[in-house]
Amino acid sequence: MSKQLPVAIVGAGPVGLITALGLARYDVPCLVFEEDGRLSLDTKAGTTLTRTLEVLHRYRALEPVLRAALRVDEIGDIDRATNTPRASVRTYELTEDTRFPFVINIPQHELEPVLGAVLEERAPGALHLGHRLESFTQDADGVTLQLDTPQGRQEVRAAYLLACDGGRSVVREQLGIAVSGHTLAERYMLVDLRVALDVDNPRDYPYLAYFGDPQEWMILVRQPHCWRFLYPLAPGRPEPDTAELEAKARRFIGDVSDLEVLGTNVYTVHHRVADRWREGRVFLMGDAAHLITPMWALGLNTGVLDASNLPWRLAWVLRGWASDRLLDGYETEQSPVAIKGSGEMAEAARAYMSGGDEVGAMNAGDWGNAFTRSLLGVSLDVDGTGDWSMVKVGDRPTPVRTGDRAPDLPVFGPDGGIVHLHDLAADHVLALHFTDARRRPAIAGPEQPGLRRYVVSRWDAPLDSGLRDSALFDPGARLQRRLGIADDTLVLIRPDAHIAAIVPIAPTAERDVAGELYAAMTATPEREEVHGQW
Ligand SMILES: Cc1cc2nc3c(=O)[nH]c(=O)nc-3n(C[C@H](O)[C@H](O)[C@H](O)COP(=O)(O)OP(=O)(O)OC[C@H]3O[C@@H](n4cnc5c(N)ncnc54)[C@H](O)[C@@H]3O)c2cc1C
C-alpha cells in the first residue's frame, strides 16, 4: 500500500533539491517541504565538483546549471608568502574518465534557484515553501508528517522521510540520534568582491586557487559575476568592516583601480557526524548526517554523494524490484566516505593550508590528484567487506576495482549511435559481458526487472548472431582497456555508476552469473540466502 505514497523530503537546500530531482528521474513521486518562504539567499558553497556534475547529468539537470556557472579546468595551489605555484590539480587529466573534465564555480544561492526551476518542470508543485516540519511518526507502512504551513497545521502521509534539513536537523533531533565531532575555534570569512582583474588589472590567477600560508591562508574563487575570497578569522576577532576588507583585498591582489565589497558571510565551521543515518523509513542526508569542514569543496559535494546513492535504491524498492535490504547499503557505503573520507581529508587540507604536511591527495600523481579532488575518488564498500577508498593514486588511470565509480566512456549501442556508459546505466543495472561477440556467448537469462545484459566487444556482433540487440561495439577495446579487465569478464554496474561486481566468466557456459549477482544485490526473496550489502 505504501508504494503509492510519495517520498517526503524535508529541506530544500542543495541536497534536498538534488535528491528530489533524483526521485523524479526514477518517476518516484515526491514532496519537498522547506520552512523558509524562499530558497536560501546566503552566500555559502561556491564550487561544485565533477562528481556532482555527473549526478546532475544523470538527473537531467546539468545544462541549466552549466549555463549559470564558470567552468574551471585547473585548481591552483600556491604558496602565499612567495607566490610560488605548488602542484596544481589539472582536471583535464580526466578525459578517459569523465565527460566533464572540469569543476564549476557557482554560488550556492544561484545554484539553488536553478535546481528549483528544473524540479518545477519535472515535478510541478512538488516543492512547498513556507512548510516547516514540526514532528513525525512512523509505522510499518509509512511516515506521518506534521507540518506548519501558511494554511495552518497539515498532516501528510509519505512512504519514506528523507531528512535534508541541514546541520540543525529537527528530524535527527526527534530521532534522538547523537552527533559527534567538534567545532573549530576559528571562523571563516567569506567576501565577494567586484574588481576588474581580467583586462584592466590582469592578475591571471587560476579561477580556483588555494593560497597556503602559516599566518593566514586564503582561497580565491572566480565566481561567474565576481571574485570571492575566503580566509580564517582568528578566535575572538571581530568581524572586519568594509574598509578593512577592502584594504585586505588590496594587500592580497595588489593595487587595483576599482574595488567594491558586494557581500560577506562569517561562519562557524564544524566537523560533526550523526551516529546513525537510518531509522526505519527515515534517512538522514547531507548536512543533517555530516557537517564537514567546507575545505576543498567537500561540504556540499559530499552531501550530493548521498543524493546519488539513495534515490535509485528507493526506486528499486518502491517498484518491487528489490527488498528493503537494498536500502541498508546507503549508510554502509556513504558514512565511511563522509566521516573518514571527506571529513578527514577536509581537516588534513585545512592543516596543509596552514603550512602542515602535504595531504595524501596532493602527492598522488597528476591523474590521481585530479581524480581524488574532483571525482571524490571514491570506491564504495558495495559488498560489505569494509573495502572503500577516497583517494586514487597514479600518473595515469589505473584499472578499476569492485566498488569504484566506472569511467564514463563511449561505446556504440545497438541502435548504431554513440552512448556513454553512465547513460546506459542510469536506468538499469548493467551486466556487461566483455567477451568475443563472434563466438555467440551465452549472455541471456530469465527476465529480471531493472537488469539489462550486454555483450561488449571490439568485434561488432554479426546481424545473424542473435546478439545484435544486446551488443555494444567497443572500437579498439577502449572501454575494456580503461577498465583494465581481461577478456571473458563480467562487470556489473549500478545506476549510480558504481561497479557492483567484476567476475571471470566462461562465455559459453549456461550458468546465469549476471542474474545470480543481480538477485543477490537486490536481495529479492528467492535469493535471501545470499548475503552482502550493495
Ligand atoms: C558560508 C559557507 C560556505 C560554504 N562553502 C562551501 C564550499 O565552498 N563548498 C562546499 O562544498 N560546501 C560549502 N559549504 C557547506 C554547504 O553550504 C553545505 O554543506 C550545504 O548547504 C548542505 O546542503 P544541505 O542541503 O544538506 O543543507 P542546507 O543547505 O543547510 O539546507 C537545509 C534546508 O532545510 C531547511 N529546514 C531546516 N529545518 C527544516 C524544517 N523543520 N522544516 C522544513 N525545512 C527545514 C532549511 O531552511 C534549509 O533550506 C559552506 C557552508 C557555509 C555556511
Side-chain angles (χ1 to χ4, degrees):
M1 205 192 312
S2 60
K3 285 177 190 161
Q4 283 109 46
L5 291 172
V7 172
I9 296 173
V10 175
V15 175
L17 291 168
I18 295 174
T19 301
L21 287 166
L23 292 172
R25 172 71 171 84
Y26 294 112
D27 296 322
V28 174
C30 73
L31 296 170
V32 185
F33 300 112
E34 166 57 49
E35 66 176 337
D36 289 343
R38 57 190 308 168
L39 298 176
S40 172
L41 295 176
D42 281 350
T43 298
K44 291 192 273 190
T47 297
T48 301
L49 299 178
T50 312
R51 186 62 181 135
T52 294
L53 302 183
E54 291 188 337
V55 175
L56 292 174
H57 173 74
R58 172 152 48 100
Y59 295 166
R60 300 182 177 136
L62 180 60
E63 282 174 20
V65 172
L66 289 185
R67 267 199 293 280
L70 198 67
R71 287 161 285 201
V72 183
D73 72 354
E74 183 167 6
I75 305 171
D77 179 7
I78 298 162
D79 179 63
R80 188 174 173 192
T82 58
N83 218 16
T84 319
R86 302 191 284 199
S88 72
V89 175
R90 295 188 290 273
T91 58
Y92 52 83
E93 298 279 347
L94 299 173
T95 46
E96 283 299 287
D97 290 281
T98 179
R99 258 175 287 177
F100 314 108
F102 51 85
V103 302
I104 60 168
N105 290 337
I106 179 171
Q108 190 171 326
H109 65 278
E110 290 177 18
L111 173 66
E112 289 183 17
V114 176
L115 298 175
V118 182
L119 181 62
E120 184 54 28
E121 270 172 37
R122 297 291 144 67
L127 176 58
H128 296 266
L129 297 171
H131 283 57
R132 176 180 162 75
L133 177 83
E134 296 289 345
S135 61
F136 65 91
T137 52
Q138 60 172 319
D139 52 53
D141 296 324
V143 186
T144 305
L145 287 70
Q146 305 289 342
L147 298 160
D148 184 19
T149 82
Q151 290 76 43
R153 300 282 277 192
Q154 278 183 19
E155 194 171 280
V156 171
R157 185 86 175 137
Y160 294 93
L161 168 58
L162 310 184
C164 302
D165 51 347
R168 296 200 188 100
S169 173
V170 169
V171 177
R172 190 187 65 218
E173 198 183 295
Q174 279 201 26
L175 290 172
I177 295 179
V179 185
S180 31
H182 60 272
T183 298
L184 302 192
E186 64 189 16
R187 291 174 301 159
Y188 287 3
M189 177 87 217
L190 192 154
V191 192
D192 281 343
L193 289 176
R194 190 187 53 73
V195 56
L197 298 182
D198 295 329
V199 180
D200 292 348
N201 313 281
R203 294 289 190 269
D204 295 347
Y205 294 126
Y207 278 178
L208 174 60
Y210 291 79
F211 291 79
D213 187 347
Q215 305 304 322
E216 184 186 70
W217 53 260
M218 175 88 78
I219 301 172
L220 178 70
V221 188
R222 177 58 158 116
Q223 291 290 0
H225 304 295
C226 65
W227 288 87
R228 170 175 288 189
F229 290 77
L230 194 144
Y231 63 93
L233 266 190
R237 257 201 70 191
E239 190 174 333
D241 61 20
T242 306
E244 223 180 308
L245 289 172
E246 285 188 8
K248 188 173 201 62
R250 282 181 198 278
R251 270 203 308 281
F252 178 58
I253 55 181
D255 203 21
V256 288
S257 43
D258 197 14
L259 182 147
E260 184 192 352
V261 174
L262 298 174
T264 62
N265 196 353
V266 177
Y267 61 105
T268 307
V269 181
H270 309 275
H271 179 79
R272 295 180 187 279
V273 286
D275 289 355
R276 284 178 292 124
W277 292 21
R278 178 184 184 187
E279 177 87 34
R281 293 178 167 270
V282 185
F283 295 82
L284 304 184
M285 303 178 73
D287 275 17
H290 45 76
L291 276 169
I292 310 260
T293 311
M295 190 59 79
W296 284 0
L298 289 166
L300 182 156
N301 292 282
T302 301
V304 176
L305 298 179
D306 303 343
S308 170
N309 197 315
L310 192 53
W312 72 270
R313 293 176 189 272
L314 288 168
W316 254 243
V317 172
L318 288 168
R319 289 172 187 170
W321 293 356
S323 86
D324 177 82
R325 286 231 324 262
L326 185 68
L327 301 177
D328 289 336
Y330 163 66
E331 178 176 349
T332 328
E333 293 178 8
Q334 292 309 143
S335 66
V337 167
I339 300 165
K340 295 188 184 301
S342 294
E344 291 185 2
M345 190 182 288
E347 287 287 277
R350 194 170 58 83
Y352 172 60
M353 292 286 284
S354 311
D357 284 345
E358 194 145 343
V359 202
M362 279 308 296
N363 54 17
D366 285 347
W367 173 82
N369 283 341
F371 200 103
T372 303
R373 291 283 297 279
S374 67
L375 282 166
L376 294 190
V378 279
S379 184
L380 298 179
D381 180 16
V382 296
D383 46 12
T385 57
D387 189 12
W388 65 276
S389 171
M390 190 70 184
V391 175
K392 288 278 177 200
V393 179
D395 281 318
R396 303 193 50 72
T398 51
V400 296
R401 302 174 52 201
T402 301
D404 280 1
R405 164 202 158 282
D408 188 21
L409 285 182
V411 285
F412 288 81
D415 297 333
I418 289 182
V419 55
H420 282 80
L421 204 53
H422 287 198
D423 291 345
L424 265 180
D427 285 316
H428 302 92
V429 170
L430 290 184
L432 301 181
H433 299 75
F434 288 85
T435 188
D436 190 334
R438 295 172 300 183
R439 304 282 176 261
R440 312 288 194 272
I443 67 159
E447 183 74 21
Q448 282 161 289
L451 175 67
R452 193 168 274 186
R453 300 170 165 86
Y454 289 103
V455 57
V456 189
S457 175
R458 62 174 285 246
W459 299 102
D460 202 8
L463 273 71
D464 58 2
S465 64
L467 286 169
R468 189 71 182 190
D469 289 339
S470 48
L472 300 171
F473 175 44
D474 182 22
R478 179 183 175 196
L479 174 60
Q480 185 181 344
R481 284 187 289 114
R482 172 62 193 88
L483 292 170
I485 50 168
D487 289 342
D488 302 329
T489 300
L490 168 67
V491 180
L492 210 66
I493 302 179
R494 309 189 315 196
D496 61 6
H498 280 274
I499 297 176
I502 304 175
V503 291
I505 43 165
T508 50
E510 290 300 311
R511 191 174 152 208
D512 179 20
V513 180
E516 288 172 22
L517 287 167
Y518 182 67
M521 169 180 172
T522 50
T524 37
E526 65 271 23
R527 300 282 180 180
E528 281 286 335
E529 78 279 4
V530 187
H531 292 290
Q533 212 93 54
W534 300 82

